[in-house]
Amino acid sequence: MAIAASICAVCNPVAIPACILGSTAPDWFEWILNAARSRKLKHRGVTHYLAAWVLAMLAAQFLWDWRGMLFWFAAGGTVHWVCDALTISGAPLGWWSDRRTTLLGGRVRTGSVLEYVITGAIVLACAVILWTRGPDRGFMPYFMDWAGLYQRGIIDAAEWRAHRWEIL
Ligand SMILES: [Zn+2]
């Protein structure tokens, strides 16, 4: 979720909620499908096909989208795949896969220090990109630069005081 949200924050901050929803979707799609049927699906199975998530991104890009939300939802699902593929058990490329694919040797254990290091590094890199853009970083619906808005005379002191501790 943190990786998907920070990449989305750099590219299209408005779509962050859709992207976070998408980044968890392969797992909750699986819960929903399991709840709807008597036989349980294989974990990291049909909802974890990289090809399906990438096709959804392409469809959103070239066929139909709603304000970029569908694209970033699918991008979140793709990020989920990449993160699952970094783990020992891996994730399937597509419906033709008879085994799961791992990235970089699948060395990451869920909940391990390495997992936090990778996540932290990506979040930090995205934060640096955002911060170095400064006031020209465009409209950010989250992490609003209230002090900057006040300094530039866009809002008054009362508004700054009311909002200065708000993050979201
Ligand atoms: Zn998963």
Side-chain angles (χ1 to χ4, degrees), residues 13-100:
V14 181
I16 289 174
C19 191
I20 290 177
L21 206 61
S23 74
T24 52
D27 289 342
W28 57 258
F29 275 167
E30 200 170 89
W31 300 333
I32 292 171
L33 287 173
N34 275 334
R37 37 184 285 152
S38 47
R39 257 189 59 203
K40 277 220 180 309
L41 288 162
K42 213 169 77 178
H43 180 51
R44 291 189 183 172
V46 63
T47 63
H48 281 68
Y49 291 152
L50 173 65
W53 288 106
V54 172
L55 276 175
M57 283 172 74
L58 291 173
Q61 184 71 41
F62 297 109
L63 297 176
W64 182 83
D65 199 350
W66 186 76
R67 301 180 183 194
M69 297 300 162
L70 202 64
F71 178 86
W72 283 102
F73 180 85
T78 306
V79 168
H80 183 113
W81 186 92
V82 171
C83 294
D84 274 357
L86 287 170
T87 66
I88 295 149
S89 34
L93 283 177
W95 40 92
W96 62 86
S97 305
D98 54 359
R99 72 177 95 175
R100 290 171 179 164

